[in-house]
């Protein structure tokens, strides 16, 4: 560094930086100042704007789920507003802020949105940011809903104003367990991974439900997400006595394909039950190897029936077909909100919460959606799919009685 | 220095206290700044408060990284692990028994019943992070080039433990129930403590030693720096500070899982450090401020125009710009107050009485015997020997590839010989490490100058003074006196890398002298100098040697210089000593001529 110009350069830099910092601080102050005017809320039944704050991962690790959800939701909002809003008077205003899939940023954007008098907050499809943001919403008495976080602990961790648009992992496991019992399977093997809440807890819930049905878990294995070989686990399964009638695993890419290839390669033909994580083209591309694999999912993404209409509308807005069921469930969150606002006849956050917590039988695309009597997770129909000839084949849709579902475990 | 304290006085007292005054100025400035942010932030609405608390929390972690990575030059990916460990500990220690019963039912009963106040719980977090730092540091300090990669392993291992220790952490599931106690003032208070620790460490004995090792491990060892131990201390201290971030992070998030303490957070923090400049505390502060400012502003811009991803693009741009325009980060390796101070006048000395001539009777200060070194099949040194007497210059010559540099490396402990006995005065040193030999009184210079280029000339010498057991304050004084002695005092506050070749050589000699050596080992000190300069240097050597009361081993190609300088001469050829004794006699031997035949009297000096 040149000694003469060094100090000057540096101090200039510092000055520049301080200016930027100041700007940043000021702009955040300004955006909040405008929102603190507490205009008198319109009385119930009067027209108002439902402000929906979306603080989710438009970029980063959760964008794969959060972005399609928002696309579906915005399609719904556009359609509703084209008709003058819910009931012709409650128009939807969506304010989107990117949490960058970061947990602290999720809290910051939630605080920013809450400062804008939103009626409802929507958070990422994951428990951590949902709890971080939901706790702030809880403190403000605002409903927070996760796009599709499936760990059934949001209310326990953050409070009764926090919900998730997803069915709980425990409910999903119950559907699989019921199916297993229905098929007459007696002995099950479960394969879990401690690396994520999803891969860890689903087998636990499955085992509990399956044993409650009279079945028996004869073996339970563990894998590391991303592990290269499953040969040890396959050998373990081969050696089991009694041999399992069914294998249940919440593994998904890249673990599920690796596992099932190793399993079938070893000549084990035991039926395999999977979860919504494998509802992807990769699984179908496994061809013969995946034949007969049965798994749960929110719905079958198919351009026909009610969903066909969604395909048409989605294509008209975005110029492409939806690539994942998450676009559908995003739209369904809109439909849920529509039912809630209809019920509440208000944009007031508390009225929205009351209606949300007591919602029953809202019509979605994949089936009916309820929250009343649940643990904050959507009580919704779960589709059971079997892979036949490399195609998704619907076995049926199920909505287990919450009373029979294994209790969410902390 | 030996005999110097009595004979010398430094006038501008300000220079003696400069290091401290800089330290105080800097910490007070930043502390007031952060305290103001804390106070102002406390009155803001929730979103900016969260932003500030988050920024300050990140600042603590980036300062932790600065303490280790910035000073040692070893990029650490592992610190987020300490953050995680501390966050969980703080959570467990502060949560109420009721919440723990619900969410952590398998927690040992003792822990389940504990519910400490936040500050105490935070200290527990720091303590546990420090312990993990001690354990992991034992590993890290043993590695040199691979240390950075090993820190990745440490992150992965800690992550694995957090996932695996289900009874304590709920495994990969969300850990929740921590009260959100990290307000802006709380984060600001911890950040101020972290800042003071980081800034004080920089100018501490260990801090200076670690910074020397960052620039050059081998010459640091030769200046008596115990590189491993210094890096270990820096690692543990930074683990403790990272624990401070974890404690705040727990109270900021309220709910978290192991994945929140993994590569994403690591990369965010490293980005901040690299952009700001890892080599200074100011760099850490600026890095956090700038990166947060960019993230926030671009995010808001992106949100308002519906263009998400602007943030990541912006971050990529500032990283690229930084690497392109200022590879060492915005602040480089120096604190602004250092750059300001170093731009001022150079220090001067008023009175300089020559110390009395201490040269005592000839006595052997270095004896090397039976030195054999084999590089797989090649015998580089074969039963070589050399001796140095106090007050005498012992010369070593030999054609290229004859083993001179290998001999120097074996004597200083940089290379491990197959066999040797080395006596430094009465003590045997051949089993000691390089730094121990340096501290025992073996000072050296390098054939291709190896100064700590990013330290000031003064600090280059201070590092060695500290090795000799001085406090930083007294090292400052001694180093100024030594710089005066070799004639580069006016360069004291310049960065070593900026000096001319000859001056760098002088600084290297001052650094060697700072060890209070009984033997000075000079490897081709006159390389690249013309005859007049060599002559002047030689005169200086004699003077220096006399004052330091040391012996000197002079390695050079220049037969003329050797002939006029040395009291005895050793000639090496193909790893063997072919002649030893009086220079005139040795140089007239036919085998010595034969060894040099074809090279002439002035062989090239690219040994």
């Amino acid at each position: 560094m040149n000694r003469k110009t060094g100090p000057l350069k540096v101090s200039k830099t510092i000055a520049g930086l301080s200016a930027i910092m100041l700007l940043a601080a000021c702009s955040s102050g300004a955006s909040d100042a405008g929102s603190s005017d507490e205009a008198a809320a319109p009385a119930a039944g009067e027209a108002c704007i439902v402000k929906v704050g979306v603080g989710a991962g438009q970029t980063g690790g959760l964008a794969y789920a959060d972005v399609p959800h928002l696309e579906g939701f915005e399609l719904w909002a556009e359609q509703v507003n084209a008709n003058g809003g819910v009931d012709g008077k409650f128009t939807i205003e969506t304010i989107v802020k990117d949490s960058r899939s970061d947990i602290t940023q999720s809290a910051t954007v939630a605080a920013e949105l809450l400062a804008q008098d939103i009626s409802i907050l929507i958070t990422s499809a994951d428990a951590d940011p949902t709890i971080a943001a939901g706790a702030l919403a809880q403190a403000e008495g605002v409903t927070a809903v996760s796009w599709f976080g499936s760990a059934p602990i949001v209310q326990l961790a953050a409070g009764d104003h926090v919900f998730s648009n997803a069915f709980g992992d425990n409910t999903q496991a119950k559907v699989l367990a019921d199916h297993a019992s229905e098929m007459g399977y007696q002995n099950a093997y479960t394969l879990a991974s401690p690396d994520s809440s999803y891969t860890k807890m689903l087998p636990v819930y499955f085992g509990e439900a399956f044993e409650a049905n009279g079945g028996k878990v004869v073996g339970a294995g563990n894998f590391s997400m991303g592990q290269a070989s499953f040969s040890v686990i396959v050998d373990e399964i081969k050696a089991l006595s009694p041999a399992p009638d069914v294998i249940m695993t919440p593994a998904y890419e890249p673990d599920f394909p690796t596992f099932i290839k190793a399993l079938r390669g070893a000549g084990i033909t035991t039926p395999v039950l999977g979860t919504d994580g494998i509802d992807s083209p990769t699984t179908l591309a496994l061809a013969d190897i995946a034949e007969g694999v049965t798994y749960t999912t929110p719905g079958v993404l198919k351009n026909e029936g009610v969903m066909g209409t969604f395909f048409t509308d989605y294509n008209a807005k975005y110029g492409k077909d939806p690539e994942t069921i998450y676009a559908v469930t995003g739209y369904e969150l809109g439909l849920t909100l529509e039912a809630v606002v209809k019920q509440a006849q208000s944009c007031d956050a508390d009225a929205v919460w009351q209606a949300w917590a007591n919602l029953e039988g809202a019509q979605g695309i994949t089936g009916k959606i309820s929250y009343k009597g649940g643990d904050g997770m959507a009580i919704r129909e779960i589709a059971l799919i079997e892979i036949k000839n490399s195609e998704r084949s619907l076995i049926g849709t199920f909505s287990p009685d919450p009373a029979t579902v294994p209790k969410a475990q902390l | 220095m030996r005999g110097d304290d009595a004979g010398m006085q430094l006038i501008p007292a300000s220079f003696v206290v400069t290091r401290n005054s800089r330290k105080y100025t800097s910490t007070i400035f930043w502390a007031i700044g952060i305290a103001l942010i804390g106070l102002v932030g406390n009155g803001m609405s929730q979103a900016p408060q969260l932003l500030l608390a988050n920024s300050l929390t990140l600042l603590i972690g980036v300062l932790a990284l600065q303490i280790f990575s910035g000073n040692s030059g070893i990029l650490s990916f592992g610190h987020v692990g300490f953050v995680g460990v501390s966050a969980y500990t703080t959570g467990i220690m502060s949560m109420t028994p009721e919440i723990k019963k619900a969410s952590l039912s398998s927690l040992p009963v003792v822990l389940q019943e504990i519910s400490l106040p936040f500050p105490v719980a935070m200290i527990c977090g720091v303590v546990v992070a420090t312990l993990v730092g001690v354990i992991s540091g034992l590993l890290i300090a043993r590695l040199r080039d691979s240390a950075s990669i090993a820190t990745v392993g440490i992150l992965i291992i800690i992550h694995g433990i957090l996932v695996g220790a289900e009874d304590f952490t709920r495994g990969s599931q969300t850990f929740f129930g921590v009260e959100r106690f990290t307000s802006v003032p709380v984060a600001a208070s911890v950040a101020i403590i972290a800042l003071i620790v980081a800034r004080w460490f920089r100018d501490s004995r260990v801090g200076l030693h670690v910074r020397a090792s960052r620039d050059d491990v081998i010459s640091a060892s030769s200046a008596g720096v115990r590189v491993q131990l210094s890096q270990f201390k820096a690692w543990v201290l930074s683990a403790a500070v990272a624990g401070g971030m974890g404690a705040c992070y727990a109270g900021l998030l309220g709910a978290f899982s192991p994945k929140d303490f993994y590569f994403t957070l690591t990369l965010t923090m490293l980005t901040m450090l690299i952009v700001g400049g890892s080599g200074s505390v100011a760099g850490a502060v600026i890095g956090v401020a700038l990166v947060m400012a960019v993230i926030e502003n671009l995010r808001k811009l992106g949100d308002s125009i519906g263009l998400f991803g602007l943030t990541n693009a912006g971050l990529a741009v500032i990283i690229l710009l930084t690497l392109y325009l200022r590879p060492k980060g915005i602040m480089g390796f120096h604190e602004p107050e250092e750059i300001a101070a170093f731009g001022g006048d150079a220090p001067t000395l008023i009175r300089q009485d020559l110390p009395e001539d201490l040269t005592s009777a000839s006595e052997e200060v270095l004896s090397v015997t039976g030195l054999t070194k084999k590089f797989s099949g090649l015998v580089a040194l074969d039963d070589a020997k050399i001796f140095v007497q106090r007050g005498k210059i012992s010369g070593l010559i030999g054609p290229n590839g004859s083993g001179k540099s290998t001999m120097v490396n074996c004597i200083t402990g940089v290379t491990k010989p197959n066999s040797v006995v080395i006596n430094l005065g009465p003590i045997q040193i051949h089993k000691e490490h390089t730094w121990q030999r340096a501290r025992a009184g073996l000072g050296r210079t390098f054939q291709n100058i190896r100064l700590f280029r990013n330290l000031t000339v003064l600090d280059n010498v201070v590092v060695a003074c500290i090795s000799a057991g001085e406090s930083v304050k007294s090292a400052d004084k001694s180093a100024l006196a030594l710089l005066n002695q070799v004639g580069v005092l006016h360069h004291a506050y310049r960065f070593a890398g900026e000096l001319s070749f000859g001056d760098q050589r002088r600084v290297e000699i001052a650094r060697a002298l700072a060890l209070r050596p009984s033997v000075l080992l000079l490897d081709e000190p006159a390389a690249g100098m013309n005859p007049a300069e060599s002559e002047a240097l030689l005169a200086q050597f004699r003077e220096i040697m006399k004052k330091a009361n040391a012996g000197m081993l002079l390695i050079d190609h220049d037969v003329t210089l050797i002939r006029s300088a040395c009291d005895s001469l050793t000639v090496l050829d193909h790893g063997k000593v072919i002649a030893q004794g009086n220079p005139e006699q040795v140089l007239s031997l036919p085998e010595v001529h034969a060894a040099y035949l074809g090279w002439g009297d002035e062989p090239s000096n690219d040994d």
Side-chain angles (χ1 to χ4, degrees):
Chain A
M1 184 197 296
N2 185 315
R3 233 156 52 87
K4 291 250 158 78
T5 59
L8 196 66
K9 256 192 192 169
V10 171
S11 49
K12 264 188 182 171
T13 318
I14 296 176
L17 291 171
S18 323
I20 295 173
M21 256 314 263
L22 217 64
L23 260 170
C26 288
S27 62
S28 50
S31 66
D32 294 312
S35 56
S36 56
D37 52 320
E38 298 251 340
E46 271 179 44
C48 58
I49 298 170
V50 182
K51 274 199 198 175
V52 182
V54 179
Q58 297 308 115
T59 57
L62 293 169
Y64 81 95
D66 290 357
V67 170
H69 271 108
L70 180 62
E71 284 175 354
F73 184 83
E74 286 190 323
L75 172 62
W76 163 81
E78 191 179 276
Q79 289 173 351
V80 165
N81 286 341
N83 293 327
V86 178
D87 273 357
K89 50 187 173 185
F90 305 111
T91 51
I92 309 297
E93 181 192 337
T94 316
I95 311 164
V96 183
K97 285 185 184 280
D98 184 10
S99 72
R100 303 173 54 244
S101 307
D102 178 279
I103 179 165
T104 50
Q105 197 92 73
S106 300
T108 311
V109 296
E112 284 174 9
L113 291 164
L114 289 164
Q116 297 187 39
D117 278 338
I118 50 174
S119 312
I120 183 167
L121 175 72
I122 296 176
T123 63
S124 282
D126 184 45
D128 285 12
T130 297
I131 293 167
L136 300 177
Q138 175 79 27
E140 299 282 321
V142 175
T143 306
V145 189
S146 162
W147 277 133
F148 216 75
S150 62
I153 58 156
V154 285
Q155 287 208 339
L156 290 160
D160 59 1
H161 281 61
V162 187
F163 300 89
S164 175
N165 183 37
F167 44 70
D169 290 337
N170 49 350
T171 316
Q172 179 173 191
K174 167 73 176 162
V175 171
L176 287 171
D178 287 353
H179 172 71
S181 304
E182 180 95 348
M183 296 295 288
Y185 305 141
Q186 294 293 316
N187 301 317
Y189 174 86
T190 60
L191 179 59
S193 169
D195 297 345
S196 81
S197 174
Y198 180 87
T199 51
K200 181 187 163 188
M201 294 311 292
L202 267 161
V204 174
Y205 293 131
F206 172 83
E208 197 181 321
F210 187 60
E211 297 207 328
N213 289 347
K216 189 166 165 30
V217 177
V218 293
N222 270 309
F223 68 97
S224 294
M225 285 166 86
Q227 81 181 37
S229 162
F230 279 80
S231 55
V232 174
I233 286 168
V234 168
D235 287 346
E236 223 175 81
I237 296 172
K238 227 173 179 173
L240 278 177
S241 176
D245 308 316
V246 64
I247 295 167
M248 183 273 172
T249 181
Y252 50 92
E253 281 175 55
D255 306 310
F256 185 78
T258 318
F259 168 65
I260 191 121
K261 277 181 200 161
L263 188 76
R264 298 301 184 228
I268 302 173
T269 54
T270 314
V272 170
L273 300 178
T275 56
D276 63 334
I278 58 167
D279 187 17
S280 79
T282 319
T283 310
L284 299 178
L286 291 169
D288 288 352
I289 294 171
E291 189 69 15
V293 168
T294 302
Y295 62 90
T296 40
T297 169
V300 189
L301 191 67
K302 253 188 187 165
N303 191 355
E304 58 185 43
V306 192
M307 207 176 283
T309 318
F310 174 78
F311 263 68
T312 313
D313 295 345
Y314 184 92
N315 206 311
K317 183 168 163 68
Y318 297 109
K320 59 176 184 185
D321 277 346
E323 284 155 359
T324 135
I325 193 72
Y326 290 145
V328 178
T329 47
Y331 189 87
E332 286 185 322
L333 182 49
L335 293 173
T336 310
L337 180 60
E338 189 169 340
V340 162
V341 173
K342 264 188 185 151
Q343 181 65 40
Q345 288 295 307
S346 165
C347 304
D348 174 62
D350 191 54
V352 167
W353 173 67
Q354 296 283 355
W356 198 287
N358 293 302
L359 185 70
E360 276 185 289
Q363 186 61 53
I365 295 177
T366 60
K368 290 216 183 332
I369 298 166
S370 304
Y371 283 90
K372 188 179 172 128
D375 51 4
M377 306 302 291
I379 303 163
R380 55 193 299 160
E381 284 171 28
I382 298 173
L384 195 64
I385 308 257
E386 183 181 353
I387 298 177
K388 279 187 182 165
N389 303 319
S390 302
E391 292 272 341
R392 299 174 175 104
S393 158
L394 182 68
I395 296 175
T397 57
F398 304 89
S399 188
D401 177 2
T404 66
V405 169
K407 269 190 77 164
Q409 281 184 28
L410 283 175
Chain B
M1 292 305 303
R2 194 180 283 126
D4 285 353
D5 291 353
M8 249 183 230
Q9 257 185 342
L10 291 154
I11 29 160
S14 63
F15 279 108
V16 180
V17 295
T18 307
R19 191 184 299 277
N20 273 339
S21 62
R22 286 199 305 268
K23 202 160 68 180
Y24 288 123
T25 315
S26 159
T27 35
I28 290 169
F29 173 79
W30 291 118
I32 290 176
I34 294 175
L36 279 178
I37 291 175
L39 288 174
V40 172
N42 205 29
M44 289 183 174
S45 55
Q46 196 171 29
Q49 270 201 40
L50 276 168
L51 169 66
L52 278 179
N54 186 22
S55 306
L56 290 167
T57 304
L58 283 166
L59 174 60
I60 302 163
V62 175
L63 284 166
L65 275 176
Q66 199 280 322
I67 290 174
F68 179 73
S69 295
N71 290 317
S72 74
I74 301 167
L75 209 54
S76 168
F77 296 87
H79 277 63
V80 165
F82 305 134
V83 176
V85 166
S86 169
Y88 277 99
T89 308
T90 307
I92 291 169
M93 299 314 266
S94 68
M95 278 154 68
T96 61
E98 295 75 52
I99 294 177
K100 278 192 260 199
K101 252 181 212 113
S103 68
L104 295 165
S105 50
S106 319
L107 200 65
V109 181
V110 190
L111 288 176
Q112 216 157 52
E113 280 160 12
I114 288 178
S115 179
L116 299 172
F118 300 122
V120 185
M122 290 168 84
I123 290 167
C124 293
V126 172
V127 168
V128 174
T130 311
L131 289 176
V132 178
V134 170
I135 296 163
S136 53
L138 292 174
L139 169 72
I140 291 296
R142 271 167 214 287
L143 305 167
R144 211 173 266 180
D145 299 331
S146 51
S148 195
I149 301 297
T151 61
V152 179
I154 284 172
L155 178 63
I156 293 172
I157 290 168
I158 294 180
H159 178 81
I161 292 171
L162 291 179
V163 169
E166 285 181 25
D167 292 353
F168 298 88
T169 64
R170 299 174 41 78
S172 51
Q173 299 191 80
T174 308
F175 181 95
F176 63 88
V178 186
E179 198 174 310
R180 293 169 189 238
F181 58 82
T182 305
S183 58
V184 178
V186 169
S189 310
V190 182
I192 289 173
I193 295 171
L195 201 127
I196 291 171
V197 170
R199 184 64 186 83
W200 283 58
F201 178 73
R202 178 186 179 79
D203 271 325
S204 67
R205 288 163 57 105
V206 179
L208 279 157
H209 270 187
V210 174
R211 282 159 64 202
S213 77
R214 172 190 64 195
D215 281 2
D216 192 326
V217 172
I218 289 180
S219 72
S221 309
S222 302
V225 173
R226 204 174 168 183
V227 176
Q228 289 188 351
L229 185 68
S230 307
Q231 288 181 348
F232 174 77
K233 287 177 180 169
W235 175 265
V236 173
L237 182 67
S238 70
V241 176
M245 167 176 175
C248 288
Y249 215 46
L252 181 73
L253 299 176
F256 42 84
S257 55
K259 68 177 191 287
D260 299 318
F261 306 100
Y262 217 27
F263 286 106
T264 313
L265 183 60
T266 302
L267 293 180
T268 306
M269 283 164 50
L270 284 177
T271 302
M272 291 170 166
L273 188 67
I274 288 165
V275 167
S278 63
S280 65
V281 170
V285 180
I286 298 292
V288 173
L290 180 67
V291 170
M292 286 308 279
V294 168
I295 290 179
E296 270 312 293
N297 285 311
L298 288 184
R299 182 182 65 77
K300 283 189 176 138
L301 181 66
D303 288 348
S304 64
I305 60 175
L307 187 65
F308 306 110
L310 209 55
T311 316
N312 293 343
L315 278 180
V317 168
I318 50 169
I319 293 171
L320 287 176
L321 278 180
T322 309
L323 293 178
Y324 183 71
L325 297 174
R326 294 184 80 97
K328 291 171 187 169
I330 291 169
M331 300 307 292
F333 279 125
H334 310 295
E335 304 289 350
E337 71 275 9
E338 288 173 348
I339 294 168
F342 300 157
D345 293 334
T348 48
L349 296 163
I350 32 165
R351 197 160 53 85
Q352 190 188 356
D353 298 338
L354 277 178
E356 54 195 297
D357 192 347
L358 290 168
T359 316
S360 51
S362 282
E363 123 196 40
E364 205 162 83
V365 280
L366 177 71
S367 99
V368 180
T369 50
L371 173 52
T372 301
K373 172 67 190 173
K374 293 174 189 158
F375 290 108
S376 19
L378 178 82
V379 182
L381 288 169
D382 187 4
D383 197 25
K385 56 185 192 242
I386 199 157
F387 307 94
V388 180
Q389 302 209 311
R390 194 181 292 284
K392 296 276 163 65
I393 298 181
S394 184
L396 175 65
I397 60 166
N400 282 338
S402 59
K404 298 190 298 293
S405 291
T406 309
M407 185 181 243
V408 173
N409 285 337
C410 288
I411 295 172
T412 52
V414 173
T415 305
K416 197 173 154 46
N418 297 71
S419 70
V420 73
V421 175
I422 307 175
N423 285 301
L424 191 68
I427 46 168
Q428 279 204 343
I429 58 161
H430 53 266
K431 285 182 181 151
E432 310 276 280
H433 295 286
T434 303
W435 64 269
Q436 287 169 313
R437 299 183 193 194
R439 289 186 186 190
L442 189 63
R444 77 168 291 188
T445 66
F446 291 85
Q447 188 182 333
N448 39 356
I449 298 173
R450 301 180 81 146
L451 288 176
F452 312 124
R453 297 179 61 83
N454 295 300
L455 298 190
T456 59
V457 166
L458 177 65
D459 283 353
N460 264 272
V461 182
V462 163
V463 165
C465 292
I466 291 170
S467 300
E470 293 190 57
S471 70
V472 177
K473 199 171 172 183
S474 108
D476 272 335
K477 279 190 207 171
S478 305
L480 284 172
L482 280 167
L483 290 174
N484 186 48
Q485 196 182 332
V486 298
V488 287
L489 183 63
H490 53 295
H491 291 317
Y493 294 119
R494 290 184 65 181
F495 299 110
E498 299 175 350
L499 265 54
S500 72
F501 186 79
D503 284 342
Q504 291 200 14
R505 184 65 81 196
R506 290 187 175 86
V507 178
E508 231 189 2
I509 291 166
R511 184 176 68 188
L513 287 172
L515 293 165
R516 303 175 196 184
S518 50
V519 176
L520 268 173
L521 210 151
L522 306 182
D523 197 353
E524 300 198 24
M529 292 187 180
N530 61 36
E533 285 174 326
S534 316
E535 198 60 40
L537 192 69
L538 186 64
Q540 206 172 19
F541 286 168
R542 290 204 173 281
E543 186 71 18
I544 286 167
M545 199 173 67
K546 213 164 126 188
K547 277 189 216 159
N549 192 24
M552 187 179 286
L553 177 56
L554 181 63
I555 298 110
D556 217 300
H557 275 298
D558 188 342
V559 176
T560 324
L561 176 79
I562 290 285
R563 193 195 302 267
S564 63
C566 299
D567 300 302
S568 72
L569 182 60
T570 302
V571 184
L572 264 185
D573 186 34
H574 289 98
K576 280 195 162 110
V577 174
I578 57 167
Q580 204 156 40
N582 177 285
E584 287 302 331
Q585 285 171 1
V586 165
L587 286 171
S588 62
L589 288 172
E591 51 265 47
V592 174
H593 270 277
Y596 268 113
L597 246 168
W599 298 93
D601 269 354
E602 289 177 18
S604 67
N605 46 23
D606 51 354
D607 188 1

